[in-house]
């Protein structure tokens, strides 16, 4: 394995900065973290004064921390963002309009990733400050280069979210930067998914989620299937497909996808019981909806067992509540399930005893 990695580094070191970035991003989408981090580090060594590799390594660290419910790399994450911001400021000072646009894009994206991380940590004031700073920077990009299509992803997602604010929060629009219409926001995300330089796949994934939520479910499923076919064995895109299928009411197909997710989680994250518990819980929900109550109980019991072994993280308490809620719905089937298990045990003992 070490020899393969050394060979990989040797071959990759000859690539251009842009190729290293693109390959690193693609390895990241495939959840090949070691290879992706290696490529970003090589890119940084080639151009230590350019912000892109710092930004996308930070983005990958954020994905890794979400994927493995592990916040231990937060210090490195924020350090990389600070370096991306520092080097972006140099680009912003350029007299070249396209270079200036890139500077605003990289700096705004760095603030956006910081805002998302703060939000997950429930540090809402920091999240709001970073988010507003990000929007102000990103909105400058089209003024200098309307063909930097990557920026349409965050701007489109922002506008869509503003259009979907609950009635009780509509008053917030007064304090927020202007947003385009809902249809225009979806179009912006679609443009980023077709023409983006760095975020094309990320935008495609975001588009699938937005379309599923918006009721355009068949289109969402098509896009999600394309992602799964393009990146086979990736847990994240299978979760996207499962969500789209459930929003469309196609629970039997969703059940099959959740079985794939469980297999991939057991294969790649066997030392992370929380992730296994989450995959089992999601499969249990499918079985419950499909009327397979005994299967639902079986997977839910396994989910509880794995969750008990998980580290004490905030997500653990939230999942425990969801499991408890489903358990109450399954209470009336529990006695029948226990009796069925008892009868199967008796049959096995009888067969064993001849």
């Amino acid at each position: 394995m070490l020899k393969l990695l050394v060979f990989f580094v040797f071959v990759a070191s000859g690539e251009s900065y842009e190729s290293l970035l693109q390959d690193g991003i693609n390895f990241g989408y495939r959840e090949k973290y070691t290879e992706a981090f290696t490529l970003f580090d090589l890119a940084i060594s080639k151009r230590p004064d350019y912000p892109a590799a710092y930004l996308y390594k930070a983005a990958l660290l954020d994905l890794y921390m979400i994927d493995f419910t592990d916040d231990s790399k937060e210090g490195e994450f924020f350090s990389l963002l600070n370096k991306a911001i520092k080097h972006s400021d140099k680009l912003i000072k350029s007299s070249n309009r396209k270079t200036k646009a890139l500077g605003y894009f990289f700096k705004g994206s760095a603030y956006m990733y910081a805002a998302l991380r703060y939000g997950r940590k429930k540090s809402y004031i920091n999240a709001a400050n970073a988010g507003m700073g990000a929007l102000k920077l990103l909105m400058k990009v089209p003024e200098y280069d309307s063909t930097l299509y990557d920026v349409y992803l965050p701007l489109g997602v922002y506008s869509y979210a503003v259009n979907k604010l609950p009635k009780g929060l509509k008053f917030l629009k007064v304090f927020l930067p202007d947003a385009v219409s809902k249809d225009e926001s979806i179009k912006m995300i679609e443009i980023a998914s077709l023409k983006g330089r760095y975020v094309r796949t990320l935008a495609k994934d975001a588009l699938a989620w937005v379309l599923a939520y918006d009721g355009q479910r068949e289109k969402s499923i098509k896009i999600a299937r394309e992602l799964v076919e393009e990146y086979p064995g990736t847990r994240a895109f299978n979760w996207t497909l499962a969500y789209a299928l459930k929003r469309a009411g196609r629970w039997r197909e969703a059940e099959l996808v959740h079985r794939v997710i469980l297999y991939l989680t057991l294969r790649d994250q066997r030392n992370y019981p929380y992730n296994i518990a989450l995959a089992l819980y999601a499969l249990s929900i499918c079985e419950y909806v499909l009327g397979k109550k005994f299967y639902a109980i079986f997977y839910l019991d396994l989910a509880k067992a794995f969750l008990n072994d998980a580290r004490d993280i905030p997500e653990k308490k939230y999942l425990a509540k969801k499991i408890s809620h489903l358990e109450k719905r399954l209470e009336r089937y529990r006695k029948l399930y226990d009796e069925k298990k008892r009868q199967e045990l008796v049959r096995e003992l009888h067969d064993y005893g001849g």
Side-chain angles (χ1 to χ4, degrees), residues 20-82:
L20 288 169
L21 272 186
Q22 294 295 346
D23 289 347
I25 289 168
N26 276 315
F27 271 113
Y29 290 137
R30 288 182 167 82
E31 296 165 352
K32 303 292 185 183
Y33 295 105
T34 300
E35 294 87 342
F37 286 133
T38 299
L39 289 167
F40 288 136
D41 286 338
L42 284 170
I44 288 170
S45 69
K46 278 185 180 288
R47 294 188 67 179
D49 59 342
Y50 199 73
Y54 295 105
L55 174 66
Y56 291 113
K57 186 179 179 184
L60 185 62
L61 278 173
D62 188 51
L63 177 63
Y64 175 89
M65 288 188 284
I66 295 168
D67 195 9
F68 288 88
T69 56
D70 177 9
D71 294 337
S72 64
K73 297 185 182 294
E74 270 193 351
E76 185 182 359
F77 168 78
F78 282 110
S79 174
L80 286 164
L81 289 185
N82 288 334

Side-chain angles (χ1 to χ4, degrees), residues 128-316:
N129 288 335
M132 291 297 286
L135 285 169
K136 288 177 183 177
L137 291 162
L138 293 169
M139 286 179 170
K140 290 179 180 288
V141 173
E143 297 175 20
Y144 293 97
D145 183 6
S146 61
T147 66
L148 210 174
Y149 300 110
D150 298 70
V151 78
Y152 294 125
L153 170 59
L155 293 181
V157 169
Y158 163 73
S159 287
Y160 184 82
V162 169
N163 279 283
K164 287 293 184 177
L165 280 172
K167 285 184 179 179
L169 296 177
K170 293 287 186 186
F171 71 93
L172 289 175
K173 286 187 176 182
V174 178
F175 306 100
L176 295 171
D178 291 340
V180 298
S181 70
K182 185 196 78 170
D183 290 342
E184 286 177 295
S185 67
I186 293 174
K187 186 64 180 175
M188 288 173 77
I189 300 170
E190 188 172 14
I191 289 170
S193 75
L194 295 171
K195 298 182 178 182
R197 180 175 168 186
Y198 300 110
V199 303
R200 188 175 297 184
T201 300
L202 185 62
K204 197 170 181 179
D205 187 52
L207 183 62
W209 282 88
V210 166
L211 290 173
Y213 184 81
D214 198 59
Q216 301 181 51
R217 287 151 193 169
E218 295 308 313
K219 189 175 180 180
S220 170
I221 291 168
K222 180 178 180 295
I223 293 169
R225 284 200 192 282
E226 288 173 0
L227 284 168
V228 170
E229 289 168 7
E230 188 176 356
Y231 298 95
T234 301
R235 296 179 299 279
F237 296 142
N238 273 287
W239 278 104
T240 303
L241 177 57
Y243 174 75
L245 288 166
K246 287 183 285 190
R247 291 288 294 185
R250 291 162 62 168
W251 284 90
R252 292 191 185 282
E253 292 169 81
E255 176 197 22
L256 295 176
V257 176
H258 275 295
R259 289 182 184 276
V260 172
I261 291 168
L262 177 59
Y263 163 75
L264 294 172
T265 306
L266 289 167
R267 185 192 70 180
D268 300 333
Q269 299 182 318
R270 58 183 177 274
N271 296 323
Y272 293 85
Y274 169 82
N275 299 55
I276 298 170
L278 180 62
L280 285 162
Y281 167 74
L283 183 53
S284 180
I285 286 283
C286 286
E287 306 294 12
Y288 174 79
V289 173
L290 291 169
K292 301 178 182 180
K293 302 301 191 296
F294 287 176
Y295 280 105
I297 293 170
F298 173 72
Y299 289 122
L300 197 65
D301 285 350
L302 285 176
K304 284 174 63 181
F306 276 101
L307 193 62
N308 285 336
D309 290 337
R311 292 176 294 112
D312 286 329
I313 53 177
E315 292 88 349
K316 181 177 179 177

Side-chain angles (χ1 to χ4, degrees), residues 318-330:
Y318 180 66
L319 181 55
K321 286 181 181 177
K322 293 172 81 170
I323 287 173
S324 177
H325 180 71
L326 181 57
E327 204 169 24
K328 287 176 182 175
R329 288 176 172 268
L330 289 165

